[in-house]
Amino acid sequence: MEKLQSLTAHRLKELIEKGDVRPSNILSDLFDRIKALDGKVKAFVRVNKPDAAEADRVNKAGKLAGIPITIKDNICVKDEETTCASKILADFKPPYDATVIKKLRAEGAILMGKSNMDEFAFGSSCETSCYGPTKNPWDLERIPGGSSGGSAAAVAADETILALGSDTGGSIRQPASLCGVVGLKPTYGRVSRYGLIAFASSLDQIGPITKDVEDAALLLGVIAGHDEMDSTSVDVPVPDYKRSLVKDVRGLRIGVPKEYFIKGLDKEVEDSVRGAINVLKDLGAKIVDISLPHTEYAVSTYYIIAPAEASSNLARFDGVQYGHRAKTSKDMIDMYIKTRSEGFGNEAKRRILLGTYCLSSGYYDAYYLKAQKVRTRIREDFDKAFGACDLVVTPTSPTAAFKIGEKMDDPLSMYLSDIYTIPANLAGLPAMSIPCGFSKNSLPIGMQILAKPFDEETIFRAAYTFEQNTEFHKQKPKL
Amino acid sequence: MNYETVIGLEVHLQLSTNTKAFCGCSTKFGQPPNSQTCPVCLGFPGSLPVLNEEAFNYAIKVALALNCKIQDLIKFDRKNYYYPDLPKNFQISQYDMPLSYDGFVDISSGAKRKRIRIKRVHLEEDAGKLMHPAGENYSLVDYNRGGMPLLEIVTEPDLSSPEEAYDYLTKLKSILGYLKVSDCDMEKGSLRCDANISVRPRGETKLGTKVELKNMNSFKGVKLGLEYESKRQVAAIGDNEKLVQETRLWDVEKNITVSMRSKEEAQDYRYFPEPDLVPFVVDKITIEKVRKDLPELPEAKTDRFVKEFGLSEYDANVLTSDVDFAGYFETCARSYKNAKTIANWLMGDIMAQMNTRNAGIKELGLTADGLVALLKMIDSQAISGKMAKEVLLEAIETKKDPAIVVKEKGLSQISDSSKIEEVVSVVISREAKTVADYKNGKKAAITFLIGQIMKETRGKANPGLVNEILKKKLGE
């Protein structure tokens, strides 16, 4: 019999429903795998030991009955450590479940543990974690991408069946691309952020990281929906995403923005993505050349808005109520300074400083306000483009996975890893990364598919059709 | 040189909604520390605010009652600063687009009427409370108050004396009392007031150097603080001292103001739009509904009292200054015709009792029916006016109905002429000498006889009847 840990959620669901497999069997295979591999991959920061008998008693009617899932460490799970991979939240146990966790529990999913990430999701390589870096299962010398690197690596290494990540500027899609798995950032407001420890409130979204498109549709169907606890979640009915899984892209208009195929884009990545576009074309999609003229400002716009919001969101980590507090301090101010100096890593400090500066009186108009204006332009670019096409296809990341340590001393070059993913966050659009090729070093390459707000269905349709006609998603790293 | 004072007031008002501004926690006072908290008002990681509709509606109600315009688009901002009573280290507030603006309140200072412009009214969340245990090197924080809805009401610098500031606060409190949106209790902290004050030579149009004055705990404190500060500033100018823009605190013990921080030390709050709350457009129909549902406000009530009950404007003004007081008057007036008499009693003995007991009309425990019954007893001469005053005191003291007090004390007046005649006869026969004096032209002797009659009846005899019957009998 096949090893259960390498199967998809939808396949395991069938097997559980037929009675061929029990959830405890899956867990046992997964834990063997984690035991054997995670010392090398380091995808997990905490592994739960769900009770096998209890797992088998799960409500079979649930959409994810008995399916194990791994949660990024910035999503609150009641009474379980949730640290954002930061020393400042050491030992923090939230007194409540994030809305997505409640939904997962209600549908019978089994929480396997917490995955590694860049500290507070600040990074594109999973190297800023206080627990140390996660390795790319395809090449342990390389980074898995970030910030949801642990979730992507766990899925790629078959250490979990499903995973949740969060995406502020590409944190689901870029690691999915670099680890050869599927990652979806839903439309802003599609999934409740209640219980997601905020990085940048106006950009953050929780989304699935999975082995194939069908699993992404299954998982999104469970976590999506309006939440009274999150004012930014939108009250739009959640469609049955399974219906979007049709093998047909005939007549779909696919926009290819010229601004995304520029200097800095690795040749192998470009070839793979263009190859993928041709596959879609051969399957009947109509390819349209489009322009998104404000693309070049996306990264700088993002690096004003995101740190500005982060500087305020992270102000609460002060040692007063929870998390790390400096052992000795002279007075209140000294406690703040010491606690935050000790608790935050360098990248977090860099972004807090950057954001604080941008919001300071005298600079606000020149930076924050200006960035908001550019953000509007970027959104308008997409509005216009979607008049001419149904989807936009681009590379997910300009390069395949880079070496651990390679960009740690060069933040600007690190920030450019998200050059293709950031615009979707600024515009609030849904975007998915799916495997579309391999470099000659056998490193995965991802293609990004973007759609209009709340049109995840068309993304699923195109991605599913592509996947059913290619073999990239079936490749597994040799571990 | 002759100086004038320029004052603007900033009032923070805690709204008496059932739940907090952005979560479902109770707003009840006096509960054990941190018992009324949740992940949202504790600012726990991952929690998100959701606007309390009731708080918003209260805010709109106040804004409309203060004649303000309502913003088309409602948005909230974050005010960032570090302090342990602020769990997120930012306060959800409104910065460049307050929910309402450009209103006014009319005040009457003495005989003068004056319009005070309202610059803005905005909604924000309150902070927690720090406690510093004596002799300890730590502080404690109670977040029960954290996240309670707070309304900030800011005037233009239209107040030109501490008295006007006092009158404005009184008027504002009166209006807010009518709206029933807050306790308005400065001692409990549900109403707080900061002031901006400067002085300038009379006739000068440019504003002088502004001082922000904080830490006043009562309306009287506001007045005293402003009086002190105005004098201090004028004296400083006289001494050729340079005034600095600063924040000063009113020291209620020493009756002085002391510098807290200068403008240079002022914080940069790094305001930016609150990304966790989506800006929304207020439904015009909702606003009109709130406007329609506004209660009759003090001025309208004053006018009506003048017209309907024939009261003087002064009386009507006093009666309508407090919504409960006005309501009490009206209840009485429904079952007692002479409105002026009611007004006199309310504004006289009853108000005096309210003041000495520092109580509202409701806390006094005297029902409107009770008062009306008392007034009717005077009219029917069942008791004298003097007795009524005693009964009133006793009723308030013992929380008993005036009619019961009269009965229990056996106070009711003797107006039965046959009974009085009996007593008069007894006294006349007993005091033959005085009667003779009277008959011999010593008219003053009658006072003694009346005194004897009142003594016999323990003061309960109807004085008019006693006088009449006695004279009749002496004349026989």
Side-chain angles (χ1 to χ4, degrees), chain A residues 88 120 122 307-322 324 331-341 344 348-349 351-357 359-360, chain B residues 43 78-92 127-128 130 141 143 260-261 265-272:
Chain A
I88 207 155
F120 283 104
F122 297 151
E309 291 182 11
S311 71
S312 171
N313 283 331
L314 269 62
R316 72 191 70 198
F317 305 112
D318 58 5
V320 173
Q321 284 192 81
Y322 46 76
H324 176 72
D331 52 29
M332 187 184 85
I333 301 289
D334 194 44
M335 181 188 87
Y336 284 158
I337 293 172
K338 282 197 181 133
T339 297
R340 289 170 68 82
S341 300
F344 288 126
K349 285 175 189 164
R351 299 212 190 185
I352 290 168
L353 284 171
L354 200 59
T356 305
Y357 181 83
L359 291 176
S360 295
Chain B
R78 288 188 185 176
K79 179 179 181 178
N80 294 284
Y81 65 94
Y82 282 83
Y83 209 65
D85 63 4
L86 200 61
K88 303 183 291 290
N89 284 323
F90 64 78
Q91 179 194 30
I92 303 177
L130 284 183
V141 58
Y143 290 115
M260 183 174 110
R261 59 167 178 254
E265 298 163 66
Q267 302 194 44
D268 178 358
Y269 292 118
R270 306 190 309 281
Y271 282 100
F272 76 106

Side-chain angles (χ1 to χ4, degrees), chain A residues 207-238:
Chain A
I209 296 179
T210 58
K211 292 172 185 177
D212 69 0
V213 174
E214 186 167 345
D215 273 6
L218 177 67
L219 184 47
L220 180 65
V222 169
I223 61 172
H226 177 61
D227 178 12
E228 285 188 349
M229 301 293 278
D230 176 3
S231 309
T232 64
S233 76
V234 182
D235 199 359
V236 170
V238 180

